[in-house]
């Protein structure tokens, strides 16, 4: 029998009727002769509601207790799904992350999976059960419950697929698949039939919310094909894998954008060894990730240093950097939170010139000023004014003729 891992997002299981619909989909997969492991997210906005409740009781909830609280949302969904399958005559069992053997480090609210010991899952499959696993959670060496942070259920699903040797990991959500651009901004955006791991990782990292980057990384590392599709339709969705045909690897595949961008500029920095480390080491210790970094050419031993962080980290980053700037003799520390990022992504950029020129020309024609530029082998990202991001996405989608794919 083929083993398939399926994951259902919060909107797919938001109420009893949707849980019944998911149960029917699971049953259909089982009827096709497959063993099925399902990873469930919390229903609808349950996680946000639990967070609000916690903060009504405490201005700073204990991180351990908060993880225990938040983990309950996925457990509720798992048990309800198992009940729905029982009522349809299908053998099913729900397991918490701990019962499923998901071992993590002890970093509460953003734990990393260290290993999965799937003996219990395998045993239940051998009994003929459909196994429903609560996503987004695991357990430490000391048996404390942890949560995996944003996209944790995606990560749970792909990690389980890898540990069990599944044929495919199917991620069901409220969108049809991976699009060439956000269809809310670009009505002519195309749902991609397939996309390479590399391209999907760039998309997920630079704005696309359909799949978490950690899940894509695991899929590529363990060669697990990942299908992203809607739980509300029968459309085929997008297959993320490593064997994408040559015909779809010769151009820009998608336009991504991100409005969660904050910028800090340290002005008048003495240009001497150790200055960058003096700024970025404390940021790392504070758990603040830095993305784009630009240092201007030194003039008379003085330079400006600019970098970006997610907007939600901007206030904390400023608190860290301002005293450091004074200590190293910088003139001032400025920030801007009214920024966004727009990216073109495609493996076709690796060995073909002209993509950057076309991107910059397109933005120039729309009178959109580029503040920062960052690149990889298959991505070019421009930091621009947040108010101009939507227009930039639409213009770039047309310029690269993605709708004609």
């Amino acid at each position: 029998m083929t083993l398939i891992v399926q994951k259902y997002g919060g909107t797919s299981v938001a109420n009893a009727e949707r849980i019944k619909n998911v149960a029917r989909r699971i049953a259909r997969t089982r009827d096709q002769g497959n063993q099925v492991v399902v990873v469930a997210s919390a229903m609808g906005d349950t996680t946000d509601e639990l967070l609000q409740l916690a903060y009504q009781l405490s201005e700073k909830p204990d991180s351990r207790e908060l993880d225990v609280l938040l983990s309950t949302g996925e457990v509720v969904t798992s048990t309800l799904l198992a009940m729905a399958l029982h009522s349809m005559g299908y053998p099913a069992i729900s397991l918490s992350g701990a019962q499923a053997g998901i071992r993590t480090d002890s970093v509460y609210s953003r734990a990393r999976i260290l290993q999965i010991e799937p003996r219990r899952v395998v045993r239940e499959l051998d009994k003929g059960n459909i196994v429903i696993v609560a996503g987004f959670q695991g357990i430490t060496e000391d048996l404390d419950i942890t949560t995996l942070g944003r996209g944790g259920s995606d990560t749970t699903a792909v990690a389980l697929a890898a540990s069990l040797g599944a044929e495919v990991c199917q991620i069901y959500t409220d969108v049809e698949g991976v699009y060439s651009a956000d269809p809310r901004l670009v009505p002519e955006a195309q749902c991609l039939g397939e996309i390479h791991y590399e391209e999907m990782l760039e998309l997920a990292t630079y704005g696309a919310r359909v799949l978490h980057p950690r899940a894509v990384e695991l899929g590529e590392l363990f060669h697990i094909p990942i299908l992203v599709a809607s739980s509300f339709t029968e459309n085929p969705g997008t297959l993320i894998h490593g064997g994408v045909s040559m015909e779809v690897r010769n151009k820009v595949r998608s336009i991504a954008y991100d409005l969660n961008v904050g910028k800090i500029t340290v002005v008048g920095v003495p240009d001497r060894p150790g200055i960058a480390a003096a700024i970025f080491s404390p940021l790392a210790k504070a758990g603040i990730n830095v993305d784009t970094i630009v240092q201007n050419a030194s003039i008379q031993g003085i330079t400006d240093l600019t970098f970006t962080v997610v907007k939600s980290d901007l206030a904390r980053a400023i608190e860290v950097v301002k005293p450091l700037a004074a200590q190293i003799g910088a003139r001032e520390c400025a920030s801007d939170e009214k920024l966004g990022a727009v990216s073109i992504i495609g493996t076709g950029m690796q060995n073909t010139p002209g993509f950057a020129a076309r991107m910059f020309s397109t933005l120039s024609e729309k009178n959109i000023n580029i503040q920062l530029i960052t690149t990889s082998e298959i991505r070019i990202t421009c930091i621009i004014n947040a108010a101009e991001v939507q227009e930039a996405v639409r213009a770039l989608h047309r310029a690269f003729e993605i709708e004609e794919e």
Side-chain angles (χ1 to χ4, degrees):
M1 296 175 73
T2 298
L3 174 60
I4 293 175
V5 174
Q6 297 182 334
K7 176 259 179 176
Y8 290 91
T11 53
S12 300
V13 291
N15 54 46
E17 194 53 47
R18 290 186 178 182
I19 289 174
K20 290 178 183 178
N21 175 61
V22 166
R24 287 190 288 269
R25 298 181 75 99
I26 296 167
R28 190 164 67 241
T29 304
R30 173 62 176 269
D31 288 342
Q32 292 167 352
N34 302 300
Q35 290 183 309
V36 188
V37 174
V38 176
V39 174
S41 295
M43 297 171 63
D45 297 323
T46 297
T47 302
D48 290 338
E49 291 167 0
L50 290 172
L51 275 171
Q52 290 173 9
L53 184 58
Y55 280 96
Q56 286 173 19
L57 298 170
S58 171
E59 290 183 2
K60 192 175 181 181
D62 179 82
S63 58
R64 179 191 180 277
E65 302 306 326
L66 192 59
D67 269 16
V68 175
L69 174 68
L70 296 183
S71 71
T72 62
E74 282 71 19
V75 172
V76 168
T77 309
S78 302
T79 57
L80 292 174
L81 257 178
M83 292 176 190
L85 286 162
H86 291 161
S87 70
M88 296 166 59
Y90 289 85
I93 186 169
S94 65
L95 300 177
S96 67
Q99 291 171 321
I102 300 171
R103 311 299 178 188
T104 75
D105 61 23
S106 56
V107 181
Y108 296 113
S109 81
R110 56 179 188 276
R112 295 274 176 168
I113 296 175
L114 299 177
Q115 63 176 329
I116 295 182
E117 300 167 357
R119 290 189 296 271
R120 176 72 185 276
V121 176
V122 171
R123 194 161 67 242
E124 297 298 341
L125 288 170
D126 289 343
K127 292 178 184 177
N129 281 319
I130 297 169
V131 182
I132 316 293
V133 177
F136 180 63
Q137 62 187 259
I139 194 167
T140 70
E141 185 180 4
D142 294 327
L143 305 184
D144 284 324
I145 293 172
T146 56
T147 63
L148 308 181
R150 189 176 70 83
S153 292
D154 291 344
T155 307
T156 302
V158 179
L160 273 170
S163 68
L164 293 166
E167 176 103 348
V168 65
C169 181
Q170 300 172 340
I171 306 290
Y172 288 104
T173 179
D174 56 358
V175 297
E176 301 286 350
V178 180
Y179 279 79
S180 58
D182 187 337
R184 295 170 298 181
L185 300 185
V186 185
E188 63 271 24
Q190 302 292 304
C191 184
L192 306 175
E194 58 179 345
I195 189 169
H196 195 275
Y197 292 119
E198 289 179 301
E199 293 170 322
M200 189 64 230
L201 183 56
E202 295 281 10
L203 266 174
T205 303
Y206 287 90
R209 305 296 182 203
V210 69
L211 190 62
H212 196 274
R214 287 162 65 185
V216 183
E217 288 174 337
L218 280 173
E220 182 173 22
L221 180 63
F222 292 99
H223 309 291
I224 302 296
I226 304 170
L227 177 73
V228 177
S230 171
S231 62
F232 301 104
T233 71
E234 299 302 321
N235 290 344
T238 303
L239 185 64
I240 304 162
H241 62 127
V244 179
S245 61
M246 186 178 296
E247 285 78 7
V248 297
R249 288 169 61 86
N250 62 358
K251 60 190 294 185
V252 171
R253 303 296 315 287
S254 188
I255 311 295
Y257 74 95
D258 186 6
L259 295 174
N260 191 20
V261 179
K263 182 182 76 170
I264 294 177
T265 300
V266 185
V267 182
V269 178
D271 189 10
R272 63 174 185 265
I275 290 296
I279 292 174
F280 293 115
S281 293
L283 287 169
K285 289 179 182 177
I288 298 171
N289 289 323
V290 174
D291 186 17
T292 305
I293 303 173
V294 175
Q295 181 171 309
N296 296 338
S298 176
I299 300 177
Q300 296 181 338
I302 299 295
T303 186
D304 295 341
L305 183 64
T306 299
F307 60 92
T308 62
V309 297
V310 296
K311 193 183 299 184
S312 54
D313 282 342
L314 184 60
R316 286 198 305 127
I318 293 170
E319 288 180 4
V320 172
V321 173
K322 270 197 172 181
L324 293 172
Q327 290 173 21
I328 64 177
R331 195 161 65 247
E332 65 174 305
C333 181
S335 64
D336 187 352
E337 62 177 16
K338 297 179 180 179
L339 298 174
V342 61
S343 305
I344 61 171
I345 295 164
T347 52
M349 290 189 283
Q350 283 179 310
N351 300 306
T352 308
F355 288 99
R358 192 189 306 183
M359 182 181 193
F360 302 154
S361 296
T362 299
L363 296 178
S364 175
E365 288 167 6
K366 294 296 181 179
N367 201 32
I368 296 173
N369 185 50
I370 300 171
Q371 297 198 26
L372 298 170
I373 300 167
T374 179
T375 67
S376 74
E377 287 187 334
I378 62 170
R379 172 189 51 81
I380 303 172
T381 298
C382 294
I383 306 298
I384 60 177
N385 190 298
E388 298 174 320
V389 165
Q390 293 188 15
E391 184 178 11
V393 170
R394 287 190 284 264
L396 290 168
H397 199 271
R398 287 192 299 270
F400 288 97
E401 302 174 337
I402 303 176
E403 67 275 6
E404 298 178 12
E405 185 168 300

